[in-house]
Amino acid sequence: MLRRDHQLKADLGRIYSFSLGLRMDEDGYYRRPDVMACRIYARQTLEDIARSQDDPFNYRLLDLWLDVFQRPWDQPTNLHQLLDDLARQVGSGDLKVYLEYDPNDGVFDVSSAGGQKIGSAAESVSKDSDEVRTQKTGGDKNQDGPLAPSSGDSPHPGLHNKEWPKDGGIEAKGFETRREVDLEDLPASDKKAAAQLKKQGWDDDKVQQVLESGTNPELKELQPGDKLYGVTSQGFAKDLESSPHWLDEAGFEEMKQKHYREGAWDREAVKNELALPCFNRADAIDIAEVTEPMTAVESEIGKATELISYTDASGSTGLIPKMMSGGGKQIAPNPSKLKSVVSQT
């Protein structure tokens, strides 16, 4: 238990309280925390608190840190470290965050493709379970059902299926894979994959990116004429030299069977299965062809999180947390042995 109740005001007037245990509502039921156990979402909330003029020197955040960690001799020396430490605690589920007060009269209803105001922010957030939030924002409960047309109004509940303005319609921050690796301390399977990726010419940053975005990496032989498929955004062709994330023909056909019907892709489900970052609208497919025999690295795409907002003339969702479950297969090829065949299909 914390020594005392910590209530901190964010820069827009919201008041958050922190607890190590679940709290009960007035009816005696356990109340689900209002900030989900996601490090990037927690970091965003803590940054909002740090910007508040209510505590310009962040003494209350430091007091919270001291209460949580009980290590005054090891307290952080800067705000970045302070926020990181607390965000990790929230992300792990050890520290619970509740929204106690919100001055806004309403929030954007993310369950519909268009915008409308509903309830109070505190009420709407506290009553939704993480599963309901995932359904409202697409996510892994959204892989079945009708597929969205490529333009116009969408019958599909996923927000990524709506046609948003090209300029500012979709914005996000904090895209992050759930897996972290240390290139200096890799398990055997990752070491083998890392060696092959370096042999293909990928630098350490790309090697780490591939390993953190997937699990269970294996080597896979590709032959001249094999096709690779890249999901991207219209107007942004995949760069063969900088993009190590592709689908082989089997992976593409499997995705098509699940998420393409009557001439339309379910872009929300594709984004979820491939754990695509926000800027990827999943409305175009590039095709590359293998020109020489190569050994590629294949892995199962892991979970990823981000904060994403959708905005049109009717309003904005504001930044909402999104978890992508992954599950698809990705191929990291040798870029020097590829040629572009079709761009922006």
Side-chain angles (χ1 to χ4, degrees), residues 142-156:
N142 193 32
Q143 294 183 2
D144 298 319
L147 298 184
S150 58
S151 63
D153 292 335
S154 168
H156 192 77

Side-chain angles (χ1 to χ4, degrees), residues 6-46:
H6 294 265
Q7 290 201 353
L8 305 180
K9 183 181 288 188
D11 63 339
L12 295 180
R14 289 181 174 182
I15 297 176
Y16 294 92
S17 63
F18 295 78
S19 171
L20 293 180
L22 291 172
R23 293 187 174 174
M24 287 188 173
D25 62 20
E26 57 187 14
D27 297 320
Y29 293 100
Y30 282 114
R31 180 180 163 194
R32 185 178 294 273
D34 296 315
V35 175
M36 69 186 296
C38 167
R39 186 163 66 90
I40 61 169
Y41 189 34
R43 177 64 188 246
Q44 174 71 23
T45 302
L46 290 163

Side-chain angles (χ1 to χ4, degrees), residues 126-193:
S126 63
K127 287 185 178 179
D128 283 339
S129 69
D130 288 341
E131 180 174 328
V132 172
R133 292 178 208 241
T134 301
Q135 286 179 302
K136 284 184 176 181
T137 59
D140 44 11
K141 295 294 180 182
N142 193 32
Q143 294 183 2
D144 298 319
L147 298 184
S150 58
S151 63
D153 292 335
S154 168
H156 192 77
L159 286 169
H160 220 64
N161 279 322
K162 188 186 173 189
E163 295 303 313
W164 300 94
K166 293 296 183 184
D167 185 14
I170 303 177
E171 296 183 347
K173 59 166 56 177
F175 178 86
E176 189 173 84
T177 59
R178 298 307 296 269
R179 186 180 190 225
E180 296 182 357
V181 301
D182 180 355
L183 294 182
E184 301 301 321
D185 185 21
L186 295 172
S189 61
D190 283 353
K191 279 184 180 178
K192 191 173 182 180

